[in-house]
Amino acid sequence: MSALTPWTMWALGGALYFYGFFQRIAPGVMVTELMRDLSMPASVLGNLSATYFYVYAAIQMPAGLLVDRYGTRRLLAGACAIAAVGSVVFAVAADAPTAFAGRLLVGIGAGFGWVGSLKIIADWFPAARFAQVSGLTLMLGLFGGLFAQGPLAAAIGAFGWRATVLAAAGIGVAVATMILAWLRDRRPPAEMPGERGLNLLAGLRSAAGNRQVWIASLHGLSVNAPVNGVIGLWGVPYLVAAYGLTRQDAAWAASVVVVGWALGSPLAGYLSDRLRRRRVTLIAGSGICALSLGAVVALPLPIPVLWPLLLVYGLSSGVTVVAYAVARENMPASASGAAIGFSNMIAVFGIALLQGATGWLLDFAWDGRVVDGVRVYDAHAYAIALGFYPLLIGAGHVLAYALRETQTR
């Protein structure tokens, strides 16, 4: 076997994760167009975006069982094709129900990206490199989110959102074709999926009954949900309303958060490993995260200060990866995967709930202004809606003090 073969397999699985993260973030740079063309207020748009996360969260455990049973090649190719079909449905939607159906399909397909990538890493790389390559996978996904900011906004400005989403569907078909043609399953599928399912359910019950796992999971939610709300839907229109940026400049500013998150995730993991102090890392990271985002939302910052503060916010958001490590280290090795899966479900459901809640708060604070049939939310409305974000992070910061130090055991 060539030394490049494992990396080729990883790149194919990572391509689906990249594509899924791109799809996750994409609605954030087409908020005005979606509200105008689909005649929906912010509360409905928030739930439209949240549909992806609800489906994504719900499919995590079934996806793990399926890749164990059937391998990654056919499942990941099929999942990517489903996401591409969802993009087509979304692009041609003439009403909200059709748009919801498209996002649901996208969430189903993208839901296999992270689980499938981890399965490929486990099959093709030594166990000692699992964490390192998993971190690279997260960075790859975040760079997919980066493409869904400034570059996507530029494409929408040039070609319109429907044509751009259709082009994204074509890319999904290409990725599905490459996976089907080149990805190989190194290990045979599971012989006894029923037994694996029983073990998984036992692990999930154990994780759900562990107080430390719950604290770590809720801390992860407190950081994950706001950063996904900022880069995934509400950050761009907020920066336009509050700071007077053009939509494209606001998208590039949101991209700074994505870059910071991509760099901060492995950095936070490295520091907590090196210091052997998970709890201290979580406390410090979430504190910086709450303060930096709070300043962006609450203060009239000069633009030269805004950009570096957004970078600090993104960097400190990387601490969320340490919460997954804490959840894993508070469970027996036999149930560590269940602990991570449980924490991921909690975090993603939190993202979905916050997306919808933000839209509801925007409608609550709306002053009644309408331009070209679209509700216009002013800086005050966004300050009320997004002002909840640093408070949520602060709650997670307080929770972190109740964690036991695992010292990376």
Side-chain angles (χ1 to χ4, degrees), residues 196-223:
R196 286 177 179 267
L198 291 173
N199 290 337
L200 176 62
L201 291 174
L204 285 175
R205 283 195 296 268
S206 180
N210 187 308
R211 180 173 177 267
Q212 290 292 302
V213 171
W214 267 105
I215 294 173
S217 301
L218 291 172
H219 186 282
L221 181 158
S222 74
V223 177

Side-chain angles (χ1 to χ4, degrees), residues 269-280:
Y270 169 78
L271 288 175
S272 70
D273 281 345
R274 184 69 181 268
L275 298 173
R276 298 177 62 83
R277 292 292 185 271
R278 303 293 197 206
R279 179 173 173 270
V280 170

